Amino acid sequence: MSTGKKSPAAIDAAELPALRRRITPVLIAGQILGGLGVATGVALASVLAQQVSGSEALSGLAPTAMVAGTALLSVPLAALMTARGRRPGLVLAYVIGATGAAIVVLAAALGNFPLLLLGMAGFGAASSANLQSRFAAADLAEPDRRARAISLVVWATTIGAVLGPNIAAPAGRSASRLGIPETAGPFLWAGGVFLISALVVALLLRPDPLLTARALAPAGEDTKEGRSLRAGVRAVRESPRAQLALATIVVAHTAMVSIMSMTPLALSHHGAGIELIGLVISGHIAGMYAFSPVMGWLADRLGRLSVIGLAMGLLACATLLAGTAGASHSRTAAGLFLLGLGWSAGLVSGSALLTDSVPGPARAAVQGLSDLTMNAAAGIGGAAAGLIVSRTSYGWLNAVGACLLLPLATLIVYRALTRSREDTRAAASGGGDPARPDTSDAPAVPDPAGSATTD
């Protein structure tokens, strides 16, 4: 019987089921804590930025700095994971996040806006850890259950993420008793939570899932050259499926971050207090995470492309509802819930398709590239969101978000038509089953553990 201290090289394929059962709860625990910390801080980020800067136009820079930090740190963290495994990368990310939270609190106390942005960038490292954890769940998953493995870890964030905005008020009150601005209190609590997350991962995520997957890979498949960022870029460039997956993740995340980051400010303009804002953001986060197992199941059963199409439909409905809500808090809440649901569908199906579509050695580099791209795009979107709202309105911001979906919708239709023609040719030649569900997005490369693919 294997133990938690067994080295990756000593694991054999027969021990994989037990290893998955041991690693998954650790990833879930880390996600719960990490989600709690991130959501607690994000709930009031734009409000805190407005208070410190004194400018509504600059309020969007706080969540933007966080997203930028997530993007900038994703590549070095992915490089660290590529070289030494998931565990050291996740631990370092949570420690940097805790340090960033402390800097945010200091900046709020001093009224220093540039220092606040620096702290928010460091705070974003914790978000990078949460995002990378979904790929850690996929390292040892069977190809035909990969989306469900990803979605389970994404789902775990629900517990902490829904609770986070609702403890913002007590966190703020506790901080005010210490002479810290009330809106900085959530960041004080978040820093402590991130340190606990780092401790959980450091002690319990053993053996490392990525290193174990490499140890189980066929001889000669895994090389140092194949793990480089350049190899990751090449793998995406050579795979149309990987390009579609990356586009899905980027568009869904950019639309979600841009609209969500300005929603607390829009609600406050219509008389919403901190408790109501927390409830609306909690509903949004529930949409992001609570239904991810359903999205994973659908992606494995119906195909990644079908769920990507669902994501675009949900995001379009979200922008329509939120953009026309005006002073209706319930309509805004419904739009934000659908926004989270669309993000969940896009992230789970896109992440599974991306992992399916590239060779095993390049996966960690491609996954880091994915997080860099999605967060860089979302950072630009978040910065633009503040300017759009200050010069026009929250409704126009949602209209711009809807426009982001059009190019991806076109790409999805093109991919579906291409697959349809391929199926017709295959059926005519006797080499395909026209009744088979859409598997244009099914795994195309071997599982690191040597499992059979669904192709």
Side-chain angles (χ1 to χ4, degrees):
M1 180 177 178
S2 62
T3 68
K5 295 183 179 179
K6 198 167 185 177
S7 69
I11 299 291
D12 59 52
E15 296 176 285
L16 274 178
L19 181 57
R20 292 183 186 113
R21 288 193 296 270
R22 184 165 66 247
I23 285 177
T24 299
V26 178
L27 292 172
I28 288 174
Q31 282 294 94
I32 291 172
L33 292 169
L36 174 64
V38 171
T40 302
V42 166
L44 294 177
S46 59
V47 177
L48 175 61
Q50 183 183 24
Q51 290 179 356
V52 174
S53 67
S55 169
E56 181 179 298
L58 296 177
S59 62
L61 291 182
T64 297
M66 174 184 164
V67 173
T70 304
L72 292 173
L73 290 166
S74 59
V75 170
L77 288 172
L80 177 60
M81 293 181 193
T82 298
R84 300 185 59 187
R86 299 287 185 191
R87 186 173 63 253
L90 294 176
V91 169
L92 179 61
Y94 283 127
V95 170
I96 295 174
T99 304
I103 294 174
V104 168
V105 173
L106 177 62
L110 297 176
N112 189 316
F113 187 63
L115 187 62
L116 175 71
L117 297 183
L118 177 63
M120 287 300 302
F123 187 85
S127 182
S128 183
N130 287 350
L131 290 170
Q132 284 291 321
S133 291
R134 75 191 192 277
F135 291 125
D139 286 334
L140 297 175
E142 303 98 320
D144 61 350
R145 296 183 61 87
R146 190 168 284 143
R148 276 170 280 188
I150 291 172
S151 68
L152 182 61
V153 172
V154 173
W155 168 85
T157 314
T158 309
I159 301 172
V162 172
L163 180 62
N166 291 292
I167 67 173
R173 288 192 292 269
S174 68
S176 63
R177 288 194 290 268
L178 300 174
I180 298 170
E182 184 174 352
T183 47
F187 291 93
L188 183 65
W189 284 30
V193 171
F194 291 155
L195 292 177
I196 297 173
S197 302
L199 187 63
V200 168
V201 172
L203 295 178
L204 302 179
L205 193 63
R206 299 171 183 272
D208 191 281
L210 180 59
L211 299 183
T212 302
R214 286 182 184 158
L216 294 170
E221 178 185 298
D222 193 15
T223 63
K224 290 185 178 180
E225 293 77 12
R227 302 175 192 170
S228 67
L229 180 61
R230 181 177 298 178
V233 173
R234 184 169 60 249
V236 172
R237 189 171 60 243
E238 294 174 353
S239 171
R241 297 187 310 154
Q243 293 166 18
L244 173 60
L246 187 58
T248 298
I249 295 170
V250 168
V251 169
H253 194 62
T254 302
M256 186 277 293
V257 169
S258 301
I259 295 171
M260 183 273 291
S261 65
M262 288 293 102
T263 300
L265 204 57
L267 286 169
S268 67
H269 286 168
H270 291 289
I274 186 172
E275 288 80 7
L276 179 57
I277 292 173
L279 286 174
V280 172
I281 297 301
S282 290
H284 166 69
I285 294 172
M288 290 175 65
Y289 300 116
F291 296 91
S292 57
V294 177
M295 302 304 176
W297 182 83
L298 290 173
D300 282 337
R301 291 296 298 273
L302 303 181
R304 321 303 195 213
L305 191 61
S306 299
V307 181
I308 289 173
L310 174 63
M312 295 303 102
L314 289 169
L315 291 171
C317 290
T319 59
L320 177 63
L321 276 174
T324 59
S328 173
H329 296 154
S330 60
R331 194 181 179 102
T332 302
L336 264 288
F337 174 76
L338 288 180
L339 184 71
L341 203 60
W343 176 88
S344 177
L347 185 76
V348 170
S349 57
S351 298
L353 179 57
L354 186 68
T355 304
D356 295 340
S357 303
V358 298
R363 281 178 185 164
V366 169
Q367 290 158 356
L369 177 66
S370 167
D371 285 354
L372 167 65
T373 308
M374 68 185 271
N375 285 293
I380 295 171
L387 294 175
I388 292 171
V389 170
S390 66
R391 297 189 178 187
T392 56
S393 68
Y394 180 69
W396 275 106
L397 172 63
N398 279 271
V400 173
C403 291
L404 291 176
L405 307 177
L406 295 177
L408 181 57
T410 303
L411 186 59
I412 293 170
V413 171
Y414 173 77
R415 177 62 185 164
L417 291 174
T418 301
R419 178 58 183 175
S420 178
R421 289 193 294 268
E422 291 172 353
D423 285 344
T424 300
R425 287 195 297 267
S429 63
D433 179 5
R436 184 185 180 193
D438 175 19
T439 54
S440 63
D441 40 6
V445 292
D447 177 78
S451 303
T453 71
T454 60
D455 260 353

